[in-house]
Amino acid sequence: MSENIILIGFMGTGKDTIGRLLADKLNRPFLSTDEMIELTEKKSIKQIFEENGERYFRKREKWVVEKIRDIRNTVIATGGGIVIDPQNRALLKNSGIVIHLFADLKTLRRRIAVKNQRPLIRRISDIERLYKDRKNLYDFARLEIDTSSRPPEVIANEIIENLKLHGFKHFLPQKKILVKTKSKNYPVIIGFDIAGILPFERKKIVIITNPLVGALYLNEFANYLKRKGNQVHYIIIPDGERYKSLETVKMIFNYLFSINFQRQDIIISLGGGVITDIAGFVASIFKRGCELVHAPTTLLGQVDAAIGGKTGINTANGKNMLGSFYQPELVVCDIKKLFTLSEFEFRNGIAEVIKYAIIGSLELFTVLQQERKRILARDPQILYRIIEQCISIKASVVYRDETETKGLREILNFGHTIGHVVETASGYRKYSHGEAVAMGMIEEMRIFNNASKDLDTVVKLVRDYFLPFLLPEKLRKRIKNLFPQDKKMKGSRITMPILEKIGKVKTKEVLCKEYF
């Protein structure tokens, strides 16, 4: 079962309460659309209505529905008025199993009157008016449940039984991989449902995340940390490569100064590659370095971005043009977090897995070929295996060349030299990092390995995982202009990773004008 459970209904029908119970029983994440809006706006729903008005709030609801439409395996509780917009109704219907929770008017009056924080309810008669206005807007639900007189626990159990739902129960032993570098050694821990292993006590901690990941996991991490006496703060930044900018970094700095954040305090990145890059960059330069922990929630983050110490932000001249090498204290790779990823975001990470197979492991390449169905179905055992192999490959390279000065670490850039040009040329909007890397790998092989039979093999694997493989002609023309800005340039030459055979690459310094 990969569908979301989406609870709709009038205010006071118990969507949040029953949703949290369902999520707990099924061992799935819980997301409240109202809480996601509050996180993003840094205001309560009531404040948003008072300061920005209902029209603005409905726009934010629509934005949330767009953001959550492709996530999986999540219990979602929606706001009572989210069904007013017909597009929201259509998107929700196609985003999972929709359950309508309802209650009689007498019950609703009693529940709402007890603690009324509802911005649209100023008098009791407003309840009946809105109830009648919205009565026919919930008819797209697959299941209807009366919550008038039964305890939430009973209702949650009824939903599970009615829909024959099953929770996530996967036993995977925790695996610790030690990443060794000249500047620092640190553990990378891989496991299933391991958010609670963070060891910190009585620390000041700032979690940096984005709205969607924050809505899914921020409470989980914050509650674990608070139980150990930690003082937990958080910063929500917009999602997307275009927000890896100096403006975002300045905003984070201002917040850290406002809470008197010190060098011995801890920054935790909670998210994918964008969050990891920004949090790492901030930690590396704020007061000349503070403690850093990565909790990657994407496949790309777990196999690549969170490992090895590279940080960076983008400029108009290219991707990651400002950055540093800064190793974390700890990386926690919780495979359970991968089960909520959209298909698009999951494939985004597969591109990096393919890269690691090409540069370092024929065995991993064979696994990708033979276990495609299990990988795309997100079988925890096979994910555990490929994540472990990717981390081991990267750890081995970083151990020998931490700061990319010996001509060894460049092999990790396979597909990325052209991939970064693709991202820059398209304004970080049209192609994801994984898509750009997939095209970059093929294009670099066409340039340097065009006669190799391995090219067709790699193209087939990339296509089998529904990733793009043809570089658009208009982008190919821009490569020549953007290449001189690449970080690896030395005069008119650049060090490129070149495939010898699948599982092995070498680096070669090439004269750009001969190839680009």
Side-chain angles (χ1 to χ4, degrees):
M1 175 69 71
S2 62
E3 289 186 280
N4 299 312
I5 307 300
I6 303 171
L7 304 180
I8 63 172
F10 196 73
M11 62 184 81
T13 52
K15 299 183 295 295
D16 275 30
T17 301
I18 293 167
R20 292 180 195 280
L21 283 169
L22 278 172
D24 187 57
K25 290 174 181 291
L26 296 170
N27 196 22
R28 295 191 188 194
F30 171 78
L31 184 147
S32 162
T33 59
D34 280 353
E35 286 185 3
M36 185 167 169
I37 293 171
E38 289 178 330
L39 272 177
T40 308
E41 295 291 316
K42 300 178 179 64
K43 301 176 185 177
S44 69
I45 300 299
K46 190 174 183 180
Q47 284 178 299
I48 296 170
F49 268 80
E50 289 172 351
E51 296 173 17
N52 305 99
E54 182 178 1
R55 187 176 179 183
Y56 177 82
F57 176 75
R58 298 302 173 201
K59 286 182 179 179
R60 299 311 285 162
E61 276 190 323
K62 197 165 189 173
W63 170 79
V64 168
V65 173
E66 287 283 350
K67 284 288 184 182
I68 67 174
R69 63 186 295 183
D70 295 320
I71 63 172
R72 297 156 52 109
N73 299 303
T74 301
V75 178
I76 301 169
T78 62
I82 207 165
V83 295
I84 294 171
D85 189 305
Q87 288 186 322
N88 287 351
R89 296 201 298 272
L91 287 174
L92 290 171
K93 184 177 180 179
N94 293 320
S95 298
I97 301 172
V98 180
I99 301 171
H100 175 207
L101 303 184
F102 67 95
D104 59 64
L105 263 173
K106 182 179 178 181
T107 302
L108 292 174
R109 288 192 196 100
R110 174 173 49 82
R111 290 176 180 171
I112 295 169
V114 169
K115 187 181 179 182
N116 182 26
Q117 295 294 321
R118 322 278 177 170
L120 294 178
I121 304 300
R122 297 181 179 178
R123 56 185 67 87
I124 293 297
S125 60
D126 289 335
I127 299 173
E128 186 169 353
R129 176 180 55 81
L130 288 174
Y131 183 81
K132 288 179 179 178
D133 289 345
R134 299 176 184 176
K135 189 173 182 181
N136 298 319
L137 299 180
Y138 305 105
D139 59 358
F140 62 97
R142 186 186 303 188
L143 184 66
E144 291 192 322
I145 301 285
D146 188 348
T147 68
S148 299
S149 57
R150 292 174 300 157
E153 182 94 16
V154 173
I155 295 168
N157 289 335
E158 179 184 336
I159 292 171
I160 291 170
E161 185 177 342
N162 197 308
L163 297 176
K164 296 180 172 55
L165 300 174
H166 301 284
F168 291 142
K169 293 180 180 177
H170 299 289
F171 174 74
L172 294 174
Q174 286 184 24
K175 173 81 174 184
K176 183 185 289 187
I177 298 174
L178 187 64
V179 178
K180 297 180 179 180
T181 69
K182 282 188 175 181
S183 64
K184 184 184 295 178
N185 298 340
Y186 58 93
V188 180
I189 301 174
I190 312 168
F192 193 91
D193 205 5
I194 57 172
I197 68 168
L198 294 172
F200 312 109
E201 296 181 3
R202 295 182 294 281
K203 289 274 193 175
K204 181 182 286 185
I205 296 173
V206 170
I207 300 174
I208 299 177
T209 189
N210 65 42
L212 180 57
V213 176
L216 285 167
Y217 303 122
L218 182 59
N219 283 340
E220 176 188 5
F221 276 82
N223 289 339
Y224 278 129
L225 291 166
K226 286 176 182 177
R227 286 180 203 139
K228 296 179 180 178
N230 295 295
Q231 182 187 141
V232 181
H233 305 261
Y234 64 86
I235 300 172
I236 306 293
I237 62 176
D239 189 26
E241 279 285 342
R242 62 187 181 277
Y243 297 108
K244 274 175 55 177
S245 63
L246 276 173
E247 289 72 22
T248 300
V249 169
K250 288 176 186 176
M251 180 272 290
I252 296 171
F253 284 161
N254 288 337
Y255 181 79
L256 296 179
F257 283 122
S258 75
I259 62 170
N260 192 28
F261 195 82
Q262 299 178 354
R263 294 173 69 177
Q264 69 272 18
D265 298 328
I266 301 168
I267 288 175
I268 296 179
S269 71
L270 180 62
V274 170
I275 294 293
T276 301
D277 284 352
I278 294 174
F281 182 71
V282 167
S284 71
I285 61 176
F286 186 79
K287 297 185 177 179
R288 294 183 178 164
C290 52
E291 294 193 20
L292 172 68
V293 172
H294 291 312
T297 59
T298 64
L299 182 60
L300 187 150
Q302 293 187 8
V303 301
D304 186 67
I307 317 298
K310 273 191 177 181
T311 81
I313 58 173
N314 306 327
T315 72
N317 299 106
K319 180 168 175 173
N320 295 333
M321 285 297 168
L322 302 178
S324 59
F325 292 94
Y326 193 75
Q327 305 298 341
E329 308 293 322
L330 169 70
V331 180
V332 177
C333 296
D334 186 350
I335 292 173
K336 181 184 172 185
K337 302 297 180 282
L338 306 183
F339 281 71
T340 60
L341 295 179
S342 67
E343 291 293 339
F344 176 81
E345 186 56 55
F346 185 74
R347 293 196 300 269
N348 198 34
I350 290 293
E352 288 286 357
V353 178
I354 292 173
K355 178 201 79 174
Y356 279 106
I358 292 171
I359 69 170
S361 176
L362 176 59
E363 177 192 351
L364 178 57
F365 195 91
T366 304
V367 168
L368 288 166
Q369 290 175 310
Q370 296 178 350
E371 301 287 0
R372 175 177 166 273
K373 287 184 178 179
R374 288 179 66 198
I375 292 170
L376 290 176
R378 308 188 199 188
D379 181 307
Q381 300 287 346
I382 200 72
L383 291 181
Y384 185 95
R385 181 178 173 187
I386 65 175
I387 291 167
E388 179 186 357
Q389 288 193 48
C390 290
I391 292 171
S392 296
I393 292 168
K394 187 163 191 178
S396 174
V397 174
V398 171
Y399 171 69
R400 291 176 289 159
D401 186 10
E402 180 183 6
T403 55
E404 219 168 55
T405 54
K406 299 179 180 179
L408 297 173
R409 186 163 178 162
E410 280 91 344
I411 68 171
L412 298 175
N413 293 320
F414 182 71
H416 285 62
T417 304
I418 289 179
H420 285 175
V421 170
V422 170
E423 290 182 271
T424 303
S426 57
Y428 308 106
R429 291 175 183 269
K430 188 168 183 179
Y431 300 104
S432 71
H433 178 68
E435 289 176 320
V437 167
M439 290 187 284
M441 289 188 292
I442 301 302
E443 189 66 17
E444 288 175 20
M445 288 186 70
R446 288 188 198 282
I447 294 170
F448 299 108
N449 302 90
N450 195 38
S452 170
K453 66 182 189 317
D454 290 328
L455 176 58
D456 291 338
T457 305
V458 173
V459 168
K460 183 179 185 309
L461 187 65
V462 167
R463 294 185 69 178
D464 283 347
Y465 282 94
F466 309 106
L467 289 161
F469 62 97
L470 287 175
L471 187 69
E473 192 60 36
K474 62 181 180 180
L475 289 181
R476 186 176 281 113
K477 291 177 180 178
R478 294 199 62 186
I479 290 175
K480 189 173 184 179
N481 294 329
L482 289 169
F483 239 78
Q485 297 295 337
D486 192 280
K487 299 180 291 299
K488 301 179 294 298
M489 288 290 295
K490 297 174 183 176
S492 58
R493 295 178 176 272
I494 187 170
T495 301
M496 294 290 294
I498 298 174
L499 181 72
E500 291 190 329
K501 61 182 180 179
I502 290 175
K504 186 178 181 182
V505 295
K506 63 180 180 181
T507 56
K508 180 181 179 181
E509 196 173 86
V510 301
L511 188 63
C512 285
K513 68 179 181 180
E514 292 182 4
Y515 294 97
F516 306 107

